[in-house]
RNA sequence: GGCGCCGUGGCCAAGUGGUAAGGCAGAGGACUGCAAAUCCUUUAUCCCCGGUUCGAAUCCGGGCGGCGCCUCCA
């Protein structure tokens, strides 16, 4: 099976067929950087990250661009109120956004163009549309796109062109438009724009670019006239993306986007997130409140992108549990393998490469509908190759095709997570006494899957950030202290002095350290993180 | 009003014709000095009614309930 995605325009699942699998071009609508991004934004952005990771894992080479909107009504108003100029206001939030993205283990995209850096390209685009008579200059020097020049307007959102036309009173501040549905490509300079530097010269007059225009111009500048994939939140379908199509195809004459993917919105505690309800939760607030980034990432990524996701305390608690289980599993594998994840990958390239093929006899079809525990020799072509593999490796070879099949089915993360946890469940009991090389196979496969999910990455990123904040020396000191306590406790236990042993465990517990006594000694982990 | 989505065990959530993946939480058990971790066992008339079919959570009709977009909010 090959990758299939749900295209908004065709309203159905379609095979993903990029023009060139070696150069897949993806554009995603990013945030307006006038404040800290909220968790709803990040539901969408973490999905972008998933697309980015999944496509590369599946073997595509990807160029992925996400814009940052730094000139619009909101940035201008905020900069004015703060008495600064546009970059003075937006730049800190650009950095804030990237920090938040890092915290969630989002992999960096190839470019984050800012609108203000591409105004020339936007002016050029408007000029082209004027030349082609698809746009007109209004009395005040604003430029509008002429809807009637693009008969296909409305095809993405599936709305009736005539709807809302009759009996519509032309609003006072839009008297320059020929048709109420025409949208602004260029807005003539308004009072206050100059103060913050939000005004540029154009042949038809001074002003600033319209919102839809930014994305058309920047995607063309970065990726060319047509894209394989364009991503955005569901609210952008109309009018934003509809406008992008009209402008882009109007100017170039060629198809703008192959497949549109739109992410459903996030709700908070069963309510829509909105300013009026006062429940605009920023990611920063959530994290500073003590929530772990890995749990947040899990929560945001674990629900299919076309299903509404409701963020709440219960769900986050569930995510914490799920992530903790994976982290412990990774630790057990590392111990049993005696190597790092990187070394494990070298030992088992077939299990750790991007999108390991089902070439070991366990085809996707064969894996589906079999129960996870049956390492059968009766599967087509499965017996012989499996002969030399240990039980952990066999489980990995079972899990990876399922994981892949789920991703290929419109990025079914729930299915992918199920494949992962079936793997965890089947490996855990076989880990005691497993051959190191075999355990390494499990470690390699686990990290391969995490290259798509990013959950272990988010957990270890948080861990590192924590110790970096503490400072290297203090961290060393702390470790030494913990290990000394553990040594003392081991002595106490050998002497069967249970009271002393328990007291030491309690003391460590208060310091946030949890102990696990295993056959190979005592392991400790930090609570959370 | 127009267009569209959804309703699966305590919570979250896969599954779109052949008698229900997975996670979290709970209960019992194994293991442990006690724990923790791990494993085993255990919890579903798939919103309701009717229809199509040998067979439906899955298709069709109706109902009830929840939600989104329809002014630059991801």
């Amino acid at each position: 099976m090959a990758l299939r995605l749900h295209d908004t325009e065709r309203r159905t699942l379609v095979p993903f067929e990029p023009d060139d699998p070696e150069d897949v071009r993806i554009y995603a609508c990013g945030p307006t950087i006038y404040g800290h991004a909220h968790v709803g934004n990040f539901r969408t952005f973490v999905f972008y990250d998933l697309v980015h990771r999944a496509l590369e894992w599946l073997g595509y080479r990807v160029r992925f661009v996400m814009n940052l909107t730094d000139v619009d009504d909101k940035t201008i108003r905020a900069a004015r109120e703060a008495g600064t100029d546009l970059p003075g206001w937006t730049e800190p939030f650009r950095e804030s956004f990237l920090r938040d993205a890092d915290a969630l283990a989002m992999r960096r995209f190839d470019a984050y163009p800012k609108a203000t850096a591409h105004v020339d390209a936007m002016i050029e685009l408007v000029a082209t549309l004027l030349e082609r008579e698809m746009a007109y200059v209004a009395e005040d020097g604003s430029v509008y796109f002429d809807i009637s020049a693009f008969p296909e307007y409305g095809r993405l959102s599936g709305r009736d062109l005539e709807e809302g036309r009759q009996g519509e009173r032309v609003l006072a501040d839009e008297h320059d438009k020929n048709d109420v549905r025409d949208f602004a490509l260029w807005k003539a300079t308004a009072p206050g724009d100059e103060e913050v530097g939000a005004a540029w010269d154009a042949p038809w007059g001074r002003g600033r670019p319209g919102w839809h225009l930014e994305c058309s111009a920047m995607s063309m500048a970065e990726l060319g006239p047509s894209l394989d994939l364009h991503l955005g939140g569901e609210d952008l379908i109309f009018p934003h993306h509809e406008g992008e199509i009209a402008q882009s195809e109007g100017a170039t004459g060629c198809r703008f986007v192959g497949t549109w993917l739109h992410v459903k919105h996030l709700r908070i505690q069963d309510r829509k997130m909105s300013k009026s309800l006062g429940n605009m939760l920023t990611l920063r607030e959530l994290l500073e409140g003590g929530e772990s980034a890995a749990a947040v990432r899990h929560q945001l990524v674990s629900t299919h992108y076309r299903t509404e996701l409701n963020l709440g305390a219960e769900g986050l608690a569930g995510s914490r549990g799920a992530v903790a289980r994976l982290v412990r599993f990774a630790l057990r594998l590392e111990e049993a393998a005696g190597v790092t994840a990187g070394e494990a990958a070298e030992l088992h390239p077939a299990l750790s490469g991007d999108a390991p093929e089902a070439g070991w006899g366990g085809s996707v079809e064969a894996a589906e509908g079999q129960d996870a525990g049956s390492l059968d020799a009766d599967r087509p072509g499965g017996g012989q190759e499996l002969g030399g593999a240990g039980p952990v490796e066999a489980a990995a070879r079972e899990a990876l095709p399922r994981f892949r099949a789920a991703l290929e089915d419109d990025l079914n993360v729930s299915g992918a997570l199920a494949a992962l946890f079936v793997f965890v469940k089947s490996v855990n009991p076989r880990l005691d006494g497993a051959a190191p090389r075999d355990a390494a196979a499990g470690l390699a496969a686990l990290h391969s899957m995490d290259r798509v999910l990013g959950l272990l990455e988010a957990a270890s990123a948080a861990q590192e950030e924590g110790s970096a904040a503490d400072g290297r020396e203090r961290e060393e000191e702390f470790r030494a202290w913990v290990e000394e306590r553990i040594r003392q406790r081991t002595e106490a236990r050998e002497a069967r002095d249970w009271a002393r042993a328990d007291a030491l465990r309690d003391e460590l517990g208060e310091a946030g350290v949890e102990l696990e006594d295993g056959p190979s000694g005592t392991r400790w982990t930090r609570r959370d993180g």
Side-chain angles (χ1 to χ4, degrees):
Chain A
M1 191 170 82
L3 177 62
R4 294 187 310 160
L5 297 169
H6 182 92
D7 178 46
T8 307
E9 187 178 331
R10 283 168 282 183
R11 301 181 180 218
T12 184
L13 248 37
V14 297
F16 179 60
E17 288 162 344
D19 294 337
D20 177 4
E22 291 297 311
D23 182 29
V24 176
R25 289 145 296 144
I26 306 178
Y27 184 87
C29 286
T32 300
I33 43 177
Y34 71 112
H36 297 296
H38 56 72
V39 284
N41 291 322
F42 276 105
R43 197 258 165 120
T44 299
F45 303 150
V46 166
F47 172 70
Y48 297 169
D49 182 52
L50 181 79
V51 171
H52 189 204
R53 288 165 169 269
L55 289 191
E56 294 200 337
W57 192 84
L58 288 169
Y60 296 100
R61 288 192 55 175
V62 175
R63 271 194 294 156
F64 198 122
V65 173
M66 180 171 98
N67 72 295
L68 301 173
T69 296
D70 62 348
V71 52
D72 78 328
D73 294 343
K74 293 181 302 244
T75 53
I76 290 171
R77 192 186 324 121
R80 283 184 68 188
E81 284 170 6
T84 177
D85 61 1
L86 225 39
W89 183 260
T90 59
E91 190 53 30
F93 291 112
R94 177 180 169 279
E95 285 163 21
S96 152
F97 168 74
L98 292 174
R99 265 205 310 282
D100 288 349
D102 288 346
L104 290 175
M106 284 176 58
R107 280 186 36 208
R108 290 294 176 103
F109 301 130
D110 296 290
Y112 299 87
K114 292 203 296 187
T116 52
H118 288 79
V119 175
D120 287 350
M122 297 175 204
I123 290 174
E124 218 173 286
L125 188 57
V126 174
T128 302
L129 289 167
L130 283 168
E131 266 168 41
R132 306 190 75 170
E133 299 187 330
M134 306 188 84
Y136 56 91
V137 182
E139 267 176 48
D140 69 348
S142 292
V143 181
Y144 294 97
F145 186 89
D146 178 6
I147 292 301
S148 65
F150 192 76
E152 289 186 77
Y153 188 76
R155 74 176 198 228
L156 176 68
S157 52
R159 72 193 51 226
D160 182 356
L161 282 177
E162 298 306 311
E163 172 197 336
R165 193 173 209 174
Q166 261 74 35
E168 190 101 19
R169 201 168 57 82
V170 177
L171 299 171
D173 61 344
E174 291 177 335
H175 66 280
D176 278 348
K177 288 191 196 179
N178 291 346
D179 183 310
V180 282
R181 296 164 306 147
D182 289 350
F183 58 87
L185 296 170
W186 187 262
K187 295 184 167 185
T189 300
D193 287 0
E194 294 284 0
E195 296 168 32
V196 299
W200 291 263
D201 281 317
W204 47 86
R206 204 163 162 75
R208 62 179 170 92
W211 179 40
H212 315 318
L213 185 69
E214 298 178 8
C215 288
S216 289
M218 289 193 281
S219 65
M220 284 189 217
E222 299 279 351
L223 298 167
S226 73
L227 307 166
D228 294 304
L229 231 43
H230 190 132
L231 320 179
E234 60 169 336
D235 55 306
L236 299 182
I237 296 172
F238 185 90
H240 186 55
H241 289 331
E242 204 71 74
E244 282 186 44
I245 293 174
Q247 294 161 348
S248 303
E249 299 192 357
T252 67
C254 69
R255 187 172 182 82
F256 178 44
V257 170
T259 302
W260 289 91
L261 261 39
H262 288 97
V263 189
K264 284 267 192 193
H265 276 182
L266 176 81
R267 290 163 67 77
I268 288 204
Q269 280 151 344
D270 279 320
R271 314 191 74 177
K272 177 178 175 157
M273 192 161 54
S274 77
K275 278 164 209 140
S276 57
L277 287 169
N279 59 356
M280 303 288 291
L281 180 66
T282 65
L283 179 72
R284 184 137 311 194
E285 287 165 336
L286 191 58
L287 260 29
E288 282 171 0
E291 192 52 75
S292 94
V296 175
R297 182 178 170 96
H298 178 272
Q299 184 65 197
L300 293 180
V301 89
S302 62
T303 296
H304 186 82
Y305 70 99
R306 286 189 290 115
T307 300
E308 192 170 70
L309 169 60
N310 183 30
L311 188 74
E314 277 191 338
L316 283 168
S319 288
R320 279 196 296 275
V323 169
R325 181 136 185 245
L326 287 177
V327 169
R328 286 191 301 259
F329 181 57
L331 283 173
R332 288 196 71 195
L333 280 171
E334 274 172 36
E335 255 170 42
V339 296
T340 65
E343 291 161 345
E346 282 173 29
L347 277 170
H348 297 279
L351 296 177
S352 57
D354 288 334
E357 286 293 341
W360 40 70
S363 70
V364 169
E365 288 72 22
E368 281 171 351
Q370 297 270 351
D371 80 70
S374 66
L375 305 171
D376 46 274
D378 58 13
R379 213 167 44 195
Q384 289 166 343
E385 287 92 331
L386 283 176
V392 176
E393 184 173 347
R397 289 180 168 189
E398 195 91 29
L400 286 165
R402 288 175 176 231
F403 185 83
R404 176 182 181 148
L407 288 180
E408 287 182 328
D409 180 18
D410 196 27
L411 302 167
N412 182 347
V413 192
S414 304
L417 280 166
L420 171 58
F421 277 98
V422 166
F423 172 64
V424 173
K425 194 178 204 159
S426 78
V427 168
N428 256 325
R430 303 177 194 179
L431 215 45
D432 289 330
R437 192 188 155 79
D438 194 31
L443 188 59
L446 174 65
H447 279 273
S448 176
M449 291 186 264
D450 196 59
R451 270 217 303 291
V452 177
L453 299 170
L455 299 173
L456 295 173
E457 285 178 34
S460 69
Q463 196 82 269
E464 276 164 28
E465 194 175 304
S467 36
D470 279 356
R472 269 267 171 275
E473 269 179 46
R474 287 188 55 185
E475 174 66 14
E476 292 296 315
E477 229 171 85
F478 180 71
R479 284 171 179 278
W481 177 80
V482 170
E483 268 148 37
E484 177 54 27
R485 299 290 118 157
I486 290 175
R487 207 157 26 241
Q488 289 172 16
R489 176 166 168 274
T490 303
E491 280 174 22
R493 290 178 68 216
E494 276 162 7
R496 306 183 75 79
D497 181 355
W498 309 126
R500 176 158 168 70
D502 290 348
L504 283 160
R505 183 168 59 197
D506 290 345
E507 188 185 351
L508 286 166
E510 277 167 34
V513 172
E514 284 176 351
L515 303 183
E516 285 174 38
D517 298 325
S520 55
T522 299
R523 173 172 54 227
W524 65 277
T525 48
R526 274 196 182 81
R527 202 166 24 239
D528 254 346

Coordinates of all heavy atoms in Angstrom, one line a residue, chain A residues 53 131 150 194 208 212 244 284 447 523 527:
Chain A
R53 N 7.9 14.5 9.4 CA 8.6 13.3 9.8 C 8.1 12.1 9.1 O 8.9 11.3 8.7 CB 8.4 13.1 11.3 CG 9.1 14.1 12.2 CD 8.5 14.1 13.6 NE 9.3 14.8 14.6 CZ 10.2 14.3 15.4 NH1 10.6 13.0 15.2 NH2 10.9 15.0 16.2
E131 N -2.0 43.2 -14.5 CA -1.7 43.1 -16.0 C -2.7 42.2 -16.6 O -3.2 42.4 -17.7 CB -0.3 42.5 -16.2 CG 0.8 43.5 -16.4 CD 2.1 42.8 -16.3 OE1 2.2 41.6 -16.9 OE2 3.0 43.3 -15.7
F150 N -12.1 34.8 -11.9 CA -11.7 33.4 -11.6 C -12.9 32.6 -11.3 O -13.3 32.4 -10.1 CB -10.7 33.5 -10.4 CG -10.0 32.2 -10.1 CD1 -8.9 31.8 -11.0 CD2 -10.4 31.3 -9.1 CE1 -8.3 30.6 -10.7 CE2 -9.7 30.1 -8.9 CZ -8.7 29.8 -9.7
E194 N 2.4 53.8 9.0 CA 3.8 54.4 8.8 C 4.6 54.3 10.1 O 5.8 54.0 10.1 CB 3.7 55.8 8.3 CG 3.1 56.0 6.9 CD 4.1 55.6 5.8 OE1 5.2 55.2 6.1 OE2 3.7 55.7 4.6
R208 N 0.3 48.1 2.2 CA 0.9 46.9 2.7 C 0.1 45.7 2.1 O -1.0 45.8 1.7 CB 0.8 46.8 4.3 CG -0.7 46.9 4.8 CD -0.6 46.8 6.3 NE -1.9 47.1 6.9 CZ -2.8 46.1 7.2 NH1 -2.6 44.8 6.9 NH2 -3.9 46.4 7.8
H212 N -3.9 37.0 2.4 CA -3.8 35.9 1.5 C -2.6 35.9 0.6 O -2.0 34.9 0.3 CB -5.1 35.7 0.6 CG -6.3 35.9 1.4 ND1 -6.6 35.4 2.6 CD2 -7.5 36.6 1.0 CE1 -7.8 35.7 3.0 NE2 -8.3 36.5 2.1
E244 N -5.9 32.2 -1.8 CA -4.5 31.8 -2.3 C -4.6 31.1 -3.7 O -3.8 31.4 -4.6 CB -3.9 30.8 -1.4 CG -3.3 31.5 -0.1 CD -2.5 30.4 0.7 OE1 -1.8 29.6 0.1 OE2 -2.7 30.4 1.9
R284 N 3.2 27.9 26.5 CA 4.1 28.3 27.6 C 3.4 28.2 28.9 O 4.0 27.7 29.9 CB 4.4 29.8 27.3 CG 5.4 30.3 28.3 CD 6.5 31.1 27.5 NE 7.0 30.4 26.4 CZ 8.1 30.7 25.7 NH1 8.7 31.8 26.1 NH2 8.5 30.0 24.7
H447 N 13.4 3.3 18.2 CA 13.8 4.6 17.8 C 13.4 5.0 16.4 O 13.2 6.1 16.0 CB 15.3 4.8 18.1 CG 15.6 5.1 19.5 ND1 15.5 6.4 20.0 CD2 15.8 4.3 20.6 CE1 15.8 6.4 21.3 NE2 15.9 5.1 21.7
R523 N 17.7 0.6 39.4 CA 17.7 1.7 38.5 C 16.9 2.9 39.1 O 15.9 2.7 39.8 CB 17.0 1.3 37.2 CG 16.8 2.4 36.2 CD 16.3 2.0 34.8 NE 15.1 1.2 34.9 CZ 14.9 0.0 34.3 NH1 15.9 -0.5 33.6 NH2 13.8 -0.6 34.4
R527 N 11.1 11.6 38.6 CA 9.7 11.6 38.4 C 9.4 12.7 37.4 O 10.0 13.8 37.4 CB 9.0 12.0 39.7 CG 7.6 11.5 39.7 CD 6.9 11.5 41.1 NE 7.6 12.4 42.0 CZ 8.1 12.0 43.2 NH1 8.1 10.7 43.5 NH2 8.6 12.8 44.0

